[in-house]
Amino acid sequence: MAFDRLSAQTLALDLEVSRSGSRLRHIGAVLNSRHFAWAEGQGPAAEALAALDDFGHSATFVLGHNILRHDLPLLQTLAPGLRLLTLPVIDTLFLSPLA
């Protein structure tokens, strides 16, 4: 698969949480040339997660740094029904030593 095609199908995702890890503070995502952003205070986190799932509906992959140990377990706890949780994952934490 060519890189351009792969990147067009990949939802790049990053979550930021409170120091205690108990509260979602920011969501950032990119899919193709579109961006998704949410910050605490812009409405309920549950609504933002549903909007993120809608935003990423056409993605074939999810990409993030330490996404397997951090972001996805948090999403599984907060919103276990998200479609994006069923997608194959590319975790750059494991790819960075190869680069």
Side-chain angles (χ1 to χ4, degrees):
M1 177 178 294
F3 180 76
D4 289 342
R5 188 167 151 217
L6 174 67
S7 65
Q9 299 174 350
T10 302
L11 176 69
L13 175 65
D14 186 42
L15 305 178
E16 298 298 328
V17 297
S18 62
R19 285 190 186 262
S20 66
S22 62
R23 197 173 73 243
L24 186 59
R25 304 215 38 210
H26 295 97
I27 303 170
V30 176
L31 177 59
N32 208 348
S33 60
R34 300 179 304 126
H35 299 85
F36 178 91
W38 174 85
E40 191 174 35
Q42 291 182 316
E47 289 178 14
L49 292 172
L52 171 67
D53 208 36
D54 288 342
F55 172 82
H57 78 276
S58 65
T60 306
F61 304 96
V62 178
L63 174 133
H65 189 78
N66 200 20
I67 194 168
L68 289 170
R69 293 184 186 157
H70 180 266
D71 301 69
L72 294 181
L74 178 63
L75 289 176
Q76 183 68 43
T77 298
L78 295 174
L82 296 176
R83 291 173 297 208
L84 67 88
L85 291 170
T86 66
L87 298 175
V89 176
I90 303 168
D91 192 328
T92 60
L93 178 68
F94 300 103
L95 294 176
S96 57
L98 299 174

